[in-house]
Amino acid sequence: MKFGYFDDANKEYVITTPKTPLPWINYLGCNEFFSLISNTQGGYTFYKDAKLLRLTRYRYNNVPTDMGGKYFYIKDGETVWNPGWQPTQTELDSYECRHGIGYSRFTGKKNGLKASALAFVPMNDNCEVTQLTLTNESNEAKSVKVFSYVEWCLWNADDDMKNFQRLLSCGEMEVEGGTIYHKTEYRERRNHYAVYSVNAPIAGFDTSRDEFLGAYRSAANPEVVEKGQCTNSMASGWSPIACQQLNIELAPGESKDFVFVLGYVENPQDEKWEDAAMQVINKKRAHEMLARYATVADVQKALTNLKEYWAELLSKYQVNSKDEKVNRMVNVWNQYQCMVTFNMSRSASYYESGIGRGMGFRDSCQDLLGFVHLIPDRARERIIDIASTQFEDGSAYHQYQPLTKKGNSDIGSGFNDDPLWLIAGTSAYVRETGDTSILDVMTPFDNDASKATPLMNHLKRSFDYIATHKGPHDLPLIGRADWNDCLNLNCFSEHPGESFQTFGPSEGPVAESVFIAGMFVKYGEEYAQLCELKGDAAEAARARAEVEKMYAAILKDGWDGEWFVRAYDAFSHKVGSKECEEGQIFIEPQGFCVLAGVGVKEGLAEKALNSVKEKLDTKYGVMILQPAYTKYHLELGEVSSYPPGYKENAGIFCHNNPWVSIAETVIGRGDRAFEIYKKTCPAYIEDISEIHRTEPYVYSQMVAGADAPRHGEAKNSWLTGTAAWTFVNVSQYILGVYPTHTGLQVNPCVPSGFGDFDLVRTYRGVNYHVSVKNPNGVQKGVSKIIVDGKELVGTSIIPYEADKKDVNVEVVMG
Ligand code: GLC
Ligand code: GLC
């Protein structure tokens, strides 16, 4: 069942009922000011950091779900309704939510009145603008009242949920005409306030939640709205809100627009006050901001700017194939989601509360793979930020805080895959841009500038950390965990509440990871290539020799007969082997070893991938392991803490499905690679939205596996490495346009019936217009490449020529 449809021409997903299985959200903001906004106008807003500078309040555990947002109540006679349906849930005569790229538009109709709210965060400004348009579609004059409503968060979202004895006495407001200022804590150490305004004379306001709602009521039935008149309340302590009342007359057919602005303003310390004695805040900067959106024309211009920004970004990779679902995912939604993961990492979604995790070291490095072609400059900065948190011995803080950019000592280090992801991200950046100067950037260890060395040296330490931390089988020590956070082989936690991530030693001498070994083969080679670029042939040779050793160790002790072993536990017992009672086969080493090329020439790769198909495949995607753990295994940790079929315990962990799909392209099986791609790809499962439940335009972290009662149900949408990896898979391996250090390589691996396709790829400023013909319907293989009319001989890499603006490439598969 569907709850909407894709409007490809407008790059929008159109939701046609408010009663989606779960809130279906969008993100507004590209720089420092962000809002999450659901299809019923729920959500919240923050500046830079979802924990520390939260503007509006949101209750994650609320019932009914998703109450809390930026609402407009319309009182038309005795009927009170909202254009986005919530919070009154008054049945609408029609409803539509259009989630676009960086904006959302809600249109509701009731009793001949149409209300449309368009919300977005303008480029380079710290505010969210909503244009509310009311149209009288009836034959009679209408006299209606509109009440806006936002509830302020008292800045620190964590404290805001806990510290009631203090915060219920802190709230302070100012009102100036129709503009409401939230200035809690401004009197002391804060130099910032929030503002909510409307560009029209108001008929009243409220800033006290209790006055607005009335005792024992909720946002579903505010007393003020019921009575039809604001009380002009000034919040003092308790819970401050902003509500403006507009009384509006509409002739038949008449339309009126109102512009609401929710903004964040910072003042320099010496310009804090307009009147310090009276504690009146300096509103100059707020006035300037509001003036920028005083009219509908201003708003439309800002929206046009935003759309142009996105069109230009997305233009860097555009495919035109016979498969409209591939086109819409590649050209719009997958790249969009990659940008959202760039902005949010794993901090703020409807599953990540915004007060928990900072930026993950491995997560952020992998996210880079998906957006480096879109915003290379910001990717460069991100790489240096991440590398600056690395320890001198090459290991890494598992997380860092976006506001301070410092490593988070609560979680510490010991996730032994982390160092290698830094090589992955840096290599992707250098291949994309050709900018080797990044390798010379003096980069601190542990944010200590006195310990700065060139970035290249960080990569060497990453590489060496793995090469020098090996266990009894010459495989890498796993530490607290590798990519699978829940495979905690040194943890042995027996008491509730202990964190699997930090309990126990950070590393034991025995537990080893075959997955990290596969990574080492892949990123060890990429490290060697970077060494060559720097002219260090000796270091490249040394690296390749280490990679050879690792390759041999995988074949010797990492192969189980039909598939790759997952790990060795603290007793040197195999994990992910046919010898195990449960958890006999894991997806990660199959995908990663094969995509690294391990076992390809020996014929093991094909065997491993056949085992994946036989043992792990479901119609909703490939499961992470089988058989599921049915009881808690002390020696394995969190992986066995989940009920069978969920998350890391035999869920379909979408993130590593593309690894297997890429692995299939490595051995040339385009049909199977694409089949795997489609199973978790949102556009292909749109029509089972009642089962899948999360948004049909973005990836989720996890889909329940075959063992789960709710098989096929997704959770944790938006902030997942799945976005980056599926984009890498479809753009670089299936469609096959891969950036190398010397030029673009074109080597597609597609299903036999995929047909011809064209694409445009901007690489180092040059637009490559690639046209792929597949006359015999082969799955892989290129028989001819013609570049600007000349045949390319002996290579599939189109050499990069900086002086060209456009390059025409014809590729014939066969
Ligand atoms: C979560 C984490 C990621 C980890 C994955 C598997 O998505 O963000 O870092 O690799 O789970 O455990
Ligand atoms: C839990 C989750 C895992 C995630 C980790 C992040 O272990 O199961 O997916 O990576 O938390 O802290």
Side-chain angles (χ1 to χ4, degrees):
M1 190 200 291
K2 295 206 245 179
F3 299 84
Y5 60 93
F6 286 93
D7 176 348
D8 292 326
N10 287 308
K11 304 191 193 87
E12 292 172 339
Y13 192 81
V14 188
I15 303 169
T16 49
T17 166
K19 294 168 205 167
T20 47
L22 292 164
W24 285 1
I25 74 162
N26 194 12
Y27 284 84
L28 314 180
C30 327
N31 290 303
E32 302 194 315
F33 187 95
F34 298 101
S35 289
L36 284 66
I37 190 160
S38 75
N39 58 309
T40 60
Q41 285 195 278
Y44 61 90
T45 296
F46 60 93
Y47 175 70
K48 278 193 182 169
D49 187 314
K51 174 175 171 183
L52 298 175
L53 292 172
R54 181 86 64 107
L55 268 77
T56 62
R57 207 173 254 174
Y58 191 77
R59 295 172 185 80
Y60 275 86
N61 263 337
N62 200 59
V63 273
T65 191
D66 195 30
M67 280 274 213
K70 267 150 258 153
Y71 294 128
F72 299 99
Y73 297 88
I74 297 169
K75 187 168 166 70
D76 180 6
E78 286 313 300
T79 310
V80 177
W81 58 283
N82 306 95
W85 185 63
Q86 289 248 65
T88 58
Q89 302 191 355
T90 303
E91 287 300 325
L92 300 173
D93 297 339
S94 80
Y95 159 94
E96 184 186 82
C97 162
R98 288 179 171 260
H99 283 321
I101 305 303
Y103 66 91
S104 291
R105 191 191 297 269
F106 307 82
T107 307
K109 287 189 195 178
K110 185 79 187 169
N111 300 340
L113 182 66
K114 176 165 123 181
S116 163
L118 162 74
F120 65 99
V121 172
M123 297 295 306
N124 308 314
D125 218 341
N126 296 327
C127 61
E128 177 183 334
V129 174
T130 305
Q131 180 183 336
L132 180 71
T133 309
L134 297 180
T135 309
N136 182 357
E137 295 188 335
S138 78
N139 298 323
E140 284 157 33
K142 273 188 181 284
S143 168
V144 300
K145 292 176 179 173
V146 170
F147 299 86
S148 63
Y149 179 61
V150 301
E151 183 181 1
W152 302 110
C153 179
L154 304 188
W155 299 116
N156 181 329
D158 193 20
D159 222 32
D160 189 64
M161 295 192 304
K162 302 196 290 222
N163 194 358
F164 302 110
Q165 61 81 23
R166 169 178 160 78
L167 291 179
L168 294 179
S169 296
C170 286
E172 283 194 290
M173 306 295 298
E174 280 185 36
V175 176
E176 181 192 57
T179 306
I180 296 173
Y181 295 87
H182 174 224
K183 60 168 187 177
T184 298
E185 292 187 347
Y186 190 83
R187 63 170 52 250
E188 24 109 5
R189 290 156 297 172
R190 293 192 186 274
N191 66 341
H192 50 85
Y193 57 81
V195 55
Y196 197 47
S197 76
V198 58
N199 69 341
I202 60 168
F205 65 86
D206 273 293
T207 69
S208 156
R209 191 185 73 194
D210 294 346
E211 294 300 325
F212 178 72
L213 297 181
Y216 294 99
R217 288 179 177 239
S218 75
N221 58 348
E223 198 166 60
V224 155
V225 179
E226 196 175 287
K227 291 188 173 151
Q229 186 54 52
C230 278
T231 70
N232 294 356
S233 59
M234 290 302 296
S236 174
W238 300 108
S239 292
I241 59 152
C243 164
Q244 291 119 341
Q245 175 181 344
L246 301 170
N247 293 350
I248 302 162
E249 307 293 330
L250 288 166
E254 195 187 2
S255 210
K256 283 188 179 161
D257 289 286
F258 303 89
V259 180
F260 291 83
V261 177
L262 171 70
Y264 169 90
V265 175
E266 252 173 36
N267 278 334
Q269 200 59 27
D270 56 353
E271 293 176 31
K272 266 183 85 162
W273 303 104
E274 185 182 306
D275 181 338
M278 298 301 288
Q279 298 276 289
V280 175
I281 61 175
N282 179 350
K283 305 182 183 67
K284 184 168 154 275
R285 288 177 176 77
H287 293 157
E288 287 164 2
M289 173 187 281
L290 301 180
R292 289 194 284 274
Y293 311 99
T295 66
V296 169
D298 296 333
V299 173
Q300 289 302 323
K301 190 161 162 264
L303 181 66
T304 305
N305 285 346
L306 181 73
K307 287 190 175 175
E308 283 169 0
Y309 166 79
W310 277 106
E312 143 71 18
L313 264 193
L314 298 178
S315 73
K316 302 208 158 90
Y317 198 119
Q318 290 286 306
V319 65
N320 179 18
S321 78
K322 285 195 312 193
D323 189 326
E324 63 168 14
K325 297 190 173 95
V326 164
N327 300 349
R328 74 166 64 109
M329 288 311 301
V330 170
N331 297 345
V332 184
W333 297 98
N334 198 348
Q335 298 198 67
Y336 182 47
Q337 189 178 358
C338 287
M339 282 300 293
V340 172
T341 62
F342 163 74
N343 286 322
M344 298 289 135
S345 188
R346 304 296 172 270
S347 72
S349 73
Y350 265 35
Y351 305 85
E352 303 280 9
S353 64
I355 59 173
R357 296 203 254 174
M359 313 272 291
F361 190 98
R362 82 156 80 87
D363 295 336
S364 301
C365 288
Q366 286 173 90
D367 291 346
L368 272 164
L369 308 177
F371 63 73
V372 63
H373 68 294
L374 295 170
I375 42 165
D377 295 345
R378 296 173 82 183
R380 187 184 209 266
E381 188 187 332
R382 180 64 60 82
I383 290 169
I384 301 300
D385 285 349
I386 298 170
S388 304
T389 69
Q390 191 179 25
F391 290 109
E392 273 180 293
D393 69 354
S395 65
Y397 279 111
H398 197 44
Q399 289 173 11
Y400 70 99
Q401 288 310 121
L403 213 54
T404 61
K405 297 187 172 177
K406 293 219 164 96
N408 175 348
S409 41
D410 296 343
I411 303 262
S413 69
F415 295 78
N416 282 355
D417 62 319
D418 277 335
L420 291 175
W421 293 118
L422 184 62
I423 299 178
T426 309
S427 157
Y429 170 80
V430 177
R431 283 185 287 106
E432 180 65 39
T433 59
D435 170 22
T436 50
S437 76
I438 190 177
L439 301 171
D440 303 324
V441 172
M442 292 300 283
T443 311
F445 286 106
D446 198 2
N447 291 99
D448 180 345
S450 72
K451 294 184 190 153
T453 70
L455 178 67
M456 192 66 199
N457 196 30
H458 283 253
L459 305 188
K460 177 174 188 301
R461 304 228 186 153
S462 284
F463 181 86
D464 284 345
Y465 189 85
I466 313 305
T468 58
H469 286 72
K470 291 190 192 167
H473 302 90
D474 282 330
L475 293 165
L477 293 173
I478 197 167
R480 293 199 181 282
D482 59 22
W483 172 87
N484 188 333
D485 271 337
C486 300
L487 198 56
N488 314 117
L489 304 181
N490 295 304
C491 180
F492 294 91
S493 170
E494 286 183 280
H495 302 107
E498 283 163 0
S499 160
F500 290 104
Q501 311 264 299
T502 54
F503 187 74
S506 64
E507 190 175 274
V510 176
E512 300 164 292
S513 163
V514 178
F515 169 76
I516 300 179
M519 273 187 87
F520 187 82
V521 172
K522 166 99 177 132
Y523 298 122
E525 169 57 26
E526 295 196 11
Y527 170 65
Q529 289 177 17
L530 290 173
C531 295
E532 278 171 342
L533 277 185
K534 294 296 294 172
D536 194 346
E539 177 65 0
R542 180 187 78 94
R544 289 198 171 108
E546 287 293 339
V547 166
E548 279 304 308
K549 278 199 262 170
M550 194 68 87
Y551 192 107
I554 298 176
L555 292 196
K556 180 163 176 292
D557 289 311
W559 180 250
D560 200 50
E562 299 292 324
W563 57 81
F564 293 99
V565 177
R566 176 63 176 86
Y568 284 88
D569 71 14
F571 309 102
S572 249
H573 297 149
K574 286 181 183 168
V575 179
S577 153
K578 57 180 178 299
E579 293 166 20
C580 306
E581 203 183 316
E582 306 186 312
Q584 293 176 340
I585 173 170
F586 280 64
I587 196 174
E588 302 100 312
Q590 324 312 328
F592 230 88
C593 287
V594 177
L595 77 77
V598 181
V600 174
K601 57 181 184 292
E602 296 84 356
L604 305 181
E606 201 176 326
K607 263 194 193 168
L609 296 179
N610 289 347
S611 300
V612 167
K613 186 168 164 63
E614 187 195 326
K615 310 238 174 226
L616 298 178
D617 212 13
T618 77
K619 62 177 166 179
Y620 302 124
V622 185
M623 293 178 289
I624 194 169
L625 66 89
Q626 274 295 300
Y629 294 106
T630 56
K631 47 187 184 294
Y632 180 53
H633 291 251
L634 189 61
E635 77 287 6
L636 300 178
E638 185 172 355
V639 68
S640 59
S641 73
Y642 291 105
Y646 293 117
K647 297 267 292 164
E648 284 86 343
N649 186 13
I652 297 156
F653 217 92
C654 300
H655 187 136
N656 38 39
N657 276 240
W659 297 346
V660 177
S661 184
I662 295 171
E664 290 286 356
T665 69
V666 169
I667 63 166
R669 299 199 295 200
D671 281 331
R672 175 68 180 150
F674 197 67
E675 183 191 336
I676 296 169
Y677 170 73
K678 284 200 301 193
K679 282 185 189 202
T680 54
C681 184
Y684 292 90
I685 44 184
E686 185 194 7
D687 51 1
I688 56 156
S689 287
E690 81 284 10
I691 299 172
H692 188 72
R693 299 184 80 223
T694 52
E695 297 92 332
Y697 39 92
V698 291
Y699 286 91
S700 291
Q701 180 205 52
M702 194 266 313
V703 173
D707 301 277
R710 303 183 66 98
H711 183 33
E713 178 185 71
K715 285 197 190 106
N716 199 355
S717 56
W718 283 97
L719 304 185
T720 162
T722 314
W725 272 105
T726 45
F727 190 71
V728 167
N729 177 29
V730 69
S731 64
Q732 299 183 9
Y733 292 90
I734 293 178
L735 300 172
V737 181
Y738 180 87
T740 75
H741 288 299
T742 51
L744 272 188
Q745 181 174 46
V746 187
N747 188 12
C749 182
V750 290
S752 35
F754 194 71
D756 300 346
F757 60 95
D758 297 323
L759 60 84
V760 185
R761 168 71 154 94
T762 307
Y763 168 73
R764 305 186 187 177
V766 181
N767 303 317
Y768 290 81
H769 305 266
V770 182
S771 144
V772 178
K773 303 260 179 300
N774 192 355
N776 302 319
V778 301
Q779 296 182 39
K780 197 171 182 182
V782 164
S783 61
K784 200 191 248 181
I785 300 184
I786 299 167
V787 180
D788 281 338
K790 273 215 229 113
E791 188 165 348
L792 199 66
V793 243
T795 173
S796 58
I797 299 174
I798 305 153
Y800 172 67
E801 292 167 88
D803 52 341
K804 289 194 172 165
K805 207 172 164 334
D806 292 278
V807 174
N808 286 309
V809 184
E810 289 164 57
V811 176
V812 182
M813 293 180 69

